[in-house]
Amino acid sequence: MKPTAFLRRTPVRTLLATGLVTSLALVSGCAKPEDDDGKDKNPASQGDSGQVVATPDAGSGPACAIDAYGGKKLDLETATVGFSQSEKEANPFRIAETASIKAEAEKRGVKLLTANAQSQFSKQISDVQDLIAKGADLLVIAPLNSDGWEPVLRAASAKHIPIVTIDRKINATACKDYVTFIGSDFVEQGRRAADRMIEATGGKGEIAVLLGAAGNNVTTERTEGFEDRIKEKAPGLEIVFRQTGEFAREKGQSVTENLIQSKPGITGIYAENDEMGLGAVNALKGAGKKPGAIKIVTIDGTRNAVQGIVDGWIDGVIESNPRFGPLAFQTLDTFTEGEKVAQNVVIEDSAYTSDNAEADLGKAY
């Protein structure tokens, strides 16, 4: 994936599984997002919603096999999988992510235990410990924070339970403490967001960054990629404001309300997820701003954000695909059969601009 690519991706219906090339029919079941108009916009059967692996070959980088991990082969169909969700499912990303995991488990006939930490890290630790106590043979974890996982890792290691983390990393050792991470290249997402901001603003003016929640690699890496690219390519763009919006729409709105009071000449806003970006849109509407008066670039690919492009409020959205179910279960299946899997599985993300937003709205979640 080229760093400057911000193009509409040709639909792909083949998922490249880790350690082997496997064709999967990708039909992701997604729950109804919290849309502003309240209509059912389930994208389960609309367009190509599946994840595509950018690094599919376990031989192309560090890999992990079950013998090296210390586990044992098992039949996924007879196993119990525990899934730990990190955040309250008010965010469309989390809704789609959980729905995809559940749908794939049901499709495969796999017993699935689920828990939701409700955005409380201490609860997520106890949740995963409870999943282990209930007999989970395998764990899929969407971590709230990157640090603090030692109690879970010790408990899982004692029972040789393989762990796959999705969408956020934990600060631990792959193929020792956990098997693999599956997710996006977040630094690259930040770079692509910067490229879009440079194009939207002409590379000049003052811009603000609505940071994600602290304590996880997503926020750190999306910030790094964006700010480094701005310094490299657009010295005429000055970042004059940084504040966390905690990945939440309400917080993004309140921060932006303060921003436009303290920095009335702001040119652009980079929101590190769609929900904060939509909060920024609400703040601009409340202040009587016109669509496009302040350029907004976000990351995720939710339906409401893509609609924001169509409506002229948002200038670009970098996709971060939440439909982890097929790839997570294929990775578990490959690993438990004794095949190697990559220790870092990077997925390929698309993007939305005014050129493709309306046509590709059905791919959003």
Side-chain angles (χ1 to χ4, degrees), residues 187-237:
V187 173
E188 179 66 12
Q189 288 178 340
R191 292 186 188 122
R192 297 174 74 200
D195 289 337
R196 185 61 198 160
M197 181 64 77
I198 293 167
E199 183 176 342
T201 60
K204 297 179 180 179
E206 296 183 341
I207 54 176
V209 178
L210 301 186
L211 301 165
N216 66 80
N217 70 299
V218 178
T219 296
T220 302
E221 293 175 18
R222 284 179 180 172
T223 303
E224 175 189 339
F226 182 85
E227 295 195 356
D228 286 353
R229 184 72 116 216
I230 294 294
K231 290 177 184 177
E232 174 191 356
K233 288 195 167 184
L237 271 178

Side-chain angles (χ1 to χ4, degrees), residues 31 63 73 108 134 161 193 227 252 265-266 283 290 298 305 318 320 342:
K73 294 182 182 180
R108 289 171 173 265
K134 288 179 177 177
I161 298 173
E227 295 195 356
I266 202 76
K290 293 181 179 180
T298 72
I318 308 300
S320 195

